[in-house]
Amino acid sequence: MKRRLLWQIYPAILIITLLSLFAIFWNVKSRIRSGYEAEKQVSLERIAALSLPSFRPLLEESKLDRIQALCVEMGSAAQVRFTVIEPQGKVLGDSDELPETMVNHFDRPEFQQALHGTTGTAIRPSETLEQEMMYVAIPITRDGEIVAVLRTSVVMTELQATLDSVFKDILSYGILIAIAMAVLSLAFTWKISRPLELLRRGAERFAKGDLNHRLPIQQTREIGDLANSMNEMAGQLDKRIRTIVAQKNEQQAVLASMIEGVVAVSVNGHIISLNKAAAQILQAPLDTFIGRTVEEVVRNTELQQFVQKAMESKTPIEEQIVLHEQRQNERFLQTHGTALQDDKGDKIGALIVLNDVTHIRRLEQVRRDFVANVSHELKTPVTSIKGFIETLLEGNVSKPEDAQRFLEIIARQTNRLNSIIDDLLVLSRIEQQSEHQQVIFEPARIRPILEAAAGLCEIASVAKDIVIDIDCPDELEACINASLLEQAIVNLVDNAIKYSNPGSGIRIEAEQDETHTRIRVCDHGCGIAKEHCERLFERFYRVDKARSRKLGGTGLGLAIVKHIAQSHKGTVTVESTLGKGSTFTLELPIHG
C-alpha cells in the first residue's frame, strides 16, 4: 500500500540541505577562484599594455641589450615577470632568466594566440621556473604587422595559498550550517526531497526533448500518480512531435528541392515562409525576411499587386511579371497565386509560386534574332544570284562584257554565301568541341601565334598601308589551343584593319600575371559607340550594316572570337571611343 506524502516529507529536507550546501560550496569556490584569476589576468594585461610604448622603439632599433635590461627593470618594479619574444619564438628578453639559456617559445599557447592578433592567456607550469604560473601575452605591432610578443606572468603559489585559506573558512562555516540544519530538519525532509528531485529532473529532460525517458513510480501515492501521468503525457507528446517533425521535414525537403520559388503570405501581407529558390529570385535573405511585409521585401508594384489579387481571388490566378533590377537588366517571372484557407473556409493568406523564365525568354529572343539575321544575310546574296542568273537564262544580255560582269557578281555573292556557311560551321564546331570537352589545350609560346596571325593579315594591312606592331615577351607561355587562339587573333586583327584608316597602325600586346594571360588588339580606327559594345559579339550583329557588308564581313567574326575565348574558359571584352579607336582584350585563365 502506498504511503501518504505527509509521512515521507520530513526526512528529505536534510539531504536537500546537504546537497545544496555542497553545491553552494563548490560554486562559491569556483567563482572565487575564477574571479581572482580574472582579476589577476586583467592586471597582467594592463601592465603589459602600459609597457608597450617602452618596448616598441627598442624593437624598431633592434637594441636587444636594452630590451633585456628593460625587462629586468620593469619586472623588478611591477613584481611581474616580463618576457619579449619575436614571432619565430626566440626569446629576446626576460626579467628572470637569460634569453640565450631559454628554449624556443613558439609552441606556447598564449604566444600562439598573440600571433593571431588577440590577447593570449594560459595557466600552466613554467618549464624554466618549474612552478605553476599565469601568462598573459599581447602582440607588439608596427604598421599592422606583429614584430614581437610581450608576455607578463606571475607565480600562482600566492594565489593558491589565499584561495586555500578562503576555502577552509567557507568549508568550516558550511559544516556548522549543515550540522545545524541536520539537527533542525532531522528526518523530516529526506523522504520528500528525492522523489520531487527525480520528478524535477525528469521534467527537465522532457523539456529538452528527451521524451523517451520515463520517471520511476514512487511509493508515495500523490507523487506516484503524478509520475505516471507525466510518463503518459511524455509518450503522447513524443508520438505527436515525431509526426509533426516528419511532416515538416518532408515539406521542407520538397520546398528546398523545387526550382520554383514558393512564398507563403499571411492575410495581413506578412511573409510566413519562403524557400531557397524564392529567396534567390527575390534576392532576399532566407531567414531575416520572415515576418516582414511583402512591400519591405519586394520593391516591385506588379508583384505586390499580384499578391493582393491572389488573396482576393476565389480561383488560382497566373501572370507574367517583369522585375527591373538595373538598367537594361530585366528578369521575367511566371507567377501563380492561390488563396489559403483554414478548415473553416476563412482566408488566412496566399501562396505565391515564382518561376524565373528569364533564361528561356532570352534564349527565345536569341533564337528569333538568329533566324531573322541568318534569313536576312542569306536572302541578299541569294536574291542577287537568282536575279542575275534569270537575266542570263532569258538571253537579255547582248554584250559579252555584261555577261562577264554578271558572272563576277554571281561569283562574289557565292563566295559570300560560302563564307557565311564556313563561319557558321566553325561556330558549330567550336561549340560542339567545348560542350564535349574535345578542345585540346597544350603549353605553347604566345609570340609565334601572334606573328602567324599578323602574317595571315599582311596582304590586307599592306593594301591599306597599316603597320602591325607586336609587343609580347619571347618567353611568354600559356596552356592554350594554338590553332583556335590564332584564328581568334586573325579575326580581331582583320576587323581592326577593315575599320582603321589607311596609314594608321595596329598594336598587338600580350602580358601575363599570376592568374590570367591577356592579349590586346588596339587600333586607331573609327571606334564603336558605347550602346553597341554590349551586343557586339552576337552573331550577325553589325554596328554599320552597309559598311560591314561593303568590307566583306559575314557578321560572325567576333562571335567566333567569343566562343574561342569561352572554350578556353576566358572572356573577350572591348573598350572603344568614337573617332579614336578600339581595344579588344582576350583574357584567358592560366589554369583553364
Side-chain angles (χ1 to χ4, degrees), residues 45-56:
E45 187 174 348
R46 287 176 179 171
I47 292 172
L50 291 172
S51 305
L52 274 182
S54 301
F55 284 99
R56 187 173 282 111

Side-chain angles (χ1 to χ4, degrees), residues 116-299:
H116 287 84
T118 59
T119 300
T121 61
I123 298 176
R124 56 179 176 77
S126 170
E127 296 182 5
T128 307
L129 302 180
E130 298 183 353
Q131 297 184 59
E132 187 176 40
M133 301 188 70
M134 175 182 286
Y135 297 94
V136 173
I138 62 174
I140 302 176
T141 60
R142 181 176 62 203
D143 297 331
E145 182 179 359
I146 297 176
V147 297
V149 172
L150 175 60
R151 188 182 70 180
T152 55
S153 55
V154 292
V155 179
M156 297 292 288
T157 307
E158 180 183 349
L159 170 63
Q160 190 61 46
T162 303
L163 291 176
D164 289 343
S165 175
V166 174
F167 294 157
K168 286 179 181 178
D169 293 338
I170 294 174
L171 184 60
S172 300
Y173 286 111
I175 292 173
L176 291 175
I177 294 173
I179 294 172
M181 291 297 297
V183 173
L184 293 173
S185 63
L186 297 175
F188 174 78
T189 57
W190 186 79
K191 290 287 184 178
I192 190 61
S193 174
R194 187 169 177 272
L196 291 178
E197 182 67 15
L198 290 174
L199 286 176
R200 183 187 66 79
R201 293 178 181 176
E204 287 182 352
R205 294 183 67 171
F206 292 157
K208 293 178 180 178
D210 186 8
L211 298 176
N212 291 321
H213 174 68
R214 290 294 176 266
L215 299 172
I217 307 301
Q218 301 296 323
Q219 295 298 318
T220 303
R221 184 169 59 190
E222 291 86 348
I223 296 179
D225 292 343
L226 178 60
N228 188 52
S229 298
M230 291 179 68
N231 287 337
E232 291 181 2
M233 176 194 69
Q236 292 294 327
L237 284 175
D238 184 48
K239 183 177 179 180
R240 294 181 182 181
I241 289 175
R242 288 179 183 274
T243 302
I244 293 172
V245 170
Q247 292 175 348
K248 181 180 179 181
N249 290 339
E250 291 174 1
Q251 181 185 25
Q252 288 181 343
V254 171
L255 291 175
S257 62
M258 291 177 64
I259 60 173
E260 295 85 1
V262 179
V263 183
V265 183
S266 66
V267 71
N268 56 4
H270 289 79
I271 294 177
I272 302 172
S273 67
L274 71 163
N275 65 349
K276 186 176 180 181
Q280 292 174 346
I281 291 173
L282 300 177
Q283 298 180 349
L286 193 59
D287 298 325
T288 57
F289 279 4
I290 300 296
R292 301 180 69 178
T293 62
V294 175
E295 288 77 9
E296 293 179 277
V297 178
V298 182
R299 305 294 183 182

Side-chain angles (χ1 to χ4, degrees), residues 335-352:
T335 56
H336 302 263
T338 183
L340 295 176
Q341 298 178 342
D342 58 13
D343 53 355
K344 297 180 181 179
D346 297 330
K347 291 183 180 180
I348 59 174
L351 184 68
I352 310 299

Side-chain angles (χ1 to χ4, degrees), residues 444-589:
R445 289 171 53 228
I446 300 298
R447 187 176 184 87
I449 296 174
L450 303 184
E451 291 174 345
L456 291 173
C457 300
E458 185 176 1
I459 296 175
S461 64
V462 170
K464 295 186 69 172
D465 193 22
I466 293 175
V467 177
I468 301 176
D469 184 25
I470 298 176
D471 181 9
C472 174
D474 292 335
E475 69 277 3
L476 188 63
E477 187 176 285
C479 188
I480 56 172
N481 184 290
S483 62
L484 288 180
L485 183 59
E486 179 182 322
Q487 183 173 2
I489 302 301
V490 167
N491 286 7
L492 292 177
V493 174
D494 183 61
N495 244 31
I497 293 171
K498 288 177 180 177
Y499 294 96
S500 291
N501 299 321
S504 60
I506 295 173
R507 186 176 181 83
I508 307 176
E509 303 174 350
E511 62 178 12
Q512 195 174 75
D513 57 20
E514 296 179 355
T515 59
H516 289 84
T517 300
R518 295 178 181 85
I519 302 173
R520 299 184 181 87
V521 177
C522 311
D523 64 62
H524 302 283
C526 58
I528 304 166
K530 188 175 182 180
E531 63 268 19
H532 295 294
C533 292
E534 194 172 318
R535 300 189 60 191
L536 198 60
F537 298 96
E538 294 180 11
R539 303 178 188 191
F540 297 112
Y541 186 82
R542 304 173 189 270
V543 177
D544 186 345
K545 296 183 179 181
R547 184 177 181 186
S548 177
R549 292 193 180 94
K550 182 180 178 181
L551 294 173
T554 63
L556 295 169
L558 292 179
I560 293 173
V561 174
K562 184 184 81 169
H563 281 76
I564 291 175
Q566 290 175 346
S567 70
H568 284 74
K569 297 182 180 179
T571 58
V572 58
T573 56
V574 59
E575 295 178 4
S576 184
T577 304
L578 282 174
K580 295 184 178 180
S582 306
T583 298
F584 288 82
T585 303
L586 271 171
E587 186 170 305
L588 311 177

Side-chain angles (χ1 to χ4, degrees), residues 338-403:
T338 183
L340 295 176
Q341 298 178 342
D342 58 13
D343 53 355
K344 297 180 181 179
D346 297 330
K347 291 183 180 180
I348 59 174
L351 184 68
I352 310 299
V353 179
L354 309 173
N355 191 7
D356 191 345
V357 295
T358 305
H359 185 62
I360 297 174
R361 288 287 296 269
R362 288 176 180 170
L363 287 177
E364 290 177 353
Q365 185 61 42
V366 169
R367 179 183 59 82
R368 286 194 295 267
D369 291 346
F370 178 72
V371 171
N373 288 331
V374 168
S375 302
H376 182 72
E377 293 292 335
L378 296 180
K379 184 175 180 62
T380 301
V382 168
T383 302
S384 179
I385 292 171
K386 181 181 178 182
F388 284 112
I389 289 177
E390 288 176 350
T391 302
L392 291 172
L393 288 175
E394 291 173 358
N396 294 329
V397 181
S398 58
K399 298 180 181 180
E401 56 270 21
D402 290 339

Side-chain angles (χ1 to χ4, degrees), residues 382-455:
V382 168
T383 302
S384 179
I385 292 171
K386 181 181 178 182
F388 284 112
I389 289 177
E390 288 176 350
T391 302
L392 291 172
L393 288 175
E394 291 173 358
N396 294 329
V397 181
S398 58
K399 298 180 181 180
E401 56 270 21
D402 290 339
Q404 179 66 27
R405 182 168 59 86
F406 288 175
L407 290 174
E408 289 175 354
I409 294 173
I410 291 172
R412 284 199 303 271
Q413 297 296 340
T414 304
N415 289 335
R416 185 169 174 230
L417 277 175
N418 190 55
S419 297
I420 293 173
I421 293 171
D422 286 344
D423 284 348
L424 286 172
L425 290 174
V426 168
L427 273 173
S428 177
R429 174 172 55 82
I430 294 172
E431 287 179 340
Q432 289 179 358
Q433 289 178 346
S434 299
E435 183 178 347
H436 297 91
Q437 297 183 350
Q438 295 175 344
V439 180
I440 299 174
F441 300 99
E442 295 177 342
R445 289 171 53 228
I446 300 298
R447 187 176 184 87
I449 296 174
L450 303 184
E451 291 174 345

